[in-house]
Amino acid sequence: MHDIAIIGAGPGGLVTALRLHQQGIRTRIYESVPELKPLGVGVDIKVYGTKEIEELGLLEEFRAMSVDAVDSIFYNHYGQEIYAEKCGVHMGYEHEQRFVHRGSLQMLFYRTVLERLGEESVVLGARVVQYTQDETGVTLDIEHRDGRTEQVRHDGVIAADGIKSPVRRQMHPNQAEPVYSGITMYRGTTLREPIRDGHTILHIGDPRISTMIVYPIVDDFEGTGKQLVNWVVEKEGEETIEDWNQLGSVDDIVSLYETVDIDYVDIQQLIRDAREVYLFPLIRHEPLDNWVDGRVVLLGDAAHAMYPRGGNGVCQAFLDARVVAEQLANHDDPHAAFVAYDTARREGVNRIIMSMRGEGYEVIRRMVAERTDGKPFDDIEQVLPLAEADEIFSGYHRLVGQPRPGFEAGEATGFRTRDAEEAAR
């Protein structure tokens, strides 16, 4: 039986530990922070991510802390609707798409690891400095928060140590340094009454100026009867350090949305009422041509750091976790298992990395802005026909591994909400 070290107790590392446990493989997680806390804001868990959570036996707990996604609606910079599609089971998928607070989800995985694997399975305050290896195993040099140093030995190592992964840097010392894209992301949460039906994600703006995404992540937050709503704004900005926890200010972004007029939500007020605001520079990490060094392998952001768009970063880490666990169960040699995992996962994920740089399906808002020269339109069908938008969205969904039900049969899987409301009447 393998004895595997996991570096990093983020969602990817914790899910990997749970997947290895399902396969009967011993594991221990080393995490540099002395205490795990529910940090961060919202994440959008796609249908394939929910499937992975269900296979861990955690679907009901996940449902209890998250919000079902029903509609996804796209608007220009004036609040005019461009396109809409259903989400998850409402589109016809077998699994739900759900919105959740990242920190709450991480803590669910953490509690489950402690329950299933034991308290000793996670070592906190343990920073992995470097690794060395030979034909029989890997030695990790660890620095503890209390100043102690030690070496630990394992059959193999899975590095899920994030966007600043020391293991990736050691594995690829000549890899080009990441480059700032010129775009800064502002992330915040606002406590308020549900927007629309309380199950809608909004995509708003002209990407040449700024873009915004809004979705709920907690129902009845702390017994208030209100929803905790997550929002993300992208705009051109100055380069800052690559840190998820930098504080930002609404003053930097609120004026960007003065033209937006959506009848059921005041976007500027939503921003002004923020409980917290963080900023994060969008950094380009070039796709790697190899995730494996002997008995050491990369996973999650350490392997494929991508723009945090479309909910794919964390969901792709879930897929990594399942595949690497399956390969370790099927191979006696960790190196052979890691090579098989790399072969199965890397090429497809690298395509997603490049797609996210190109805006993914969000490109439709840029197309509308360019075709109208940034002005309001009279008839969206004359600007971006439904069939054209459908093709763009279906191509994206195929790319990330969730082909849209009905599209191949020629069905229009997107819609205009006004048409849908009139048909319902």
Side-chain angles (χ1 to χ4, degrees), residues 2 14 18 23 68 84 156 216 331 355 366 403:
H2 298 301
L14 293 166
L18 294 172
Q23 298 287 354
D68 184 30
H331 292 84
S355 175
R366 181 181 297 277

Side-chain angles (χ1 to χ4, degrees), residues 5 7 127-134 137-142 150-154 156-159 161 165-173 290-298:
I7 305 174
R127 185 173 71 90
V128 174
V129 179
Q130 65 176 4
Y131 66 87
T132 54
Q133 59 183 314
D134 53 37
V138 184
T139 300
L140 298 177
D141 290 349
I142 294 177
E150 70 169 327
Q151 291 186 326
V152 297
R153 182 85 172 168
H154 292 272
V157 173
I158 299 172
D161 48 349
S165 169
V167 174
R168 181 183 63 208
R169 186 171 293 275
Q170 180 177 344
M171 189 180 294
H172 295 280
N290 183 23
W291 294 351
V292 183
D293 177 16
R295 291 170 174 257
V296 181
V297 73
L298 304 176

Side-chain angles (χ1 to χ4, degrees), residues 80-98:
Q80 293 179 292
E81 184 180 321
I82 295 172
Y83 183 79
E85 68 170 354
K86 292 293 183 181
C87 304
V89 294
H90 310 282
M91 167 72 79
Y93 291 108
E94 293 183 10
H95 294 85
E96 301 155 27
Q97 177 181 339
R98 301 191 70 89

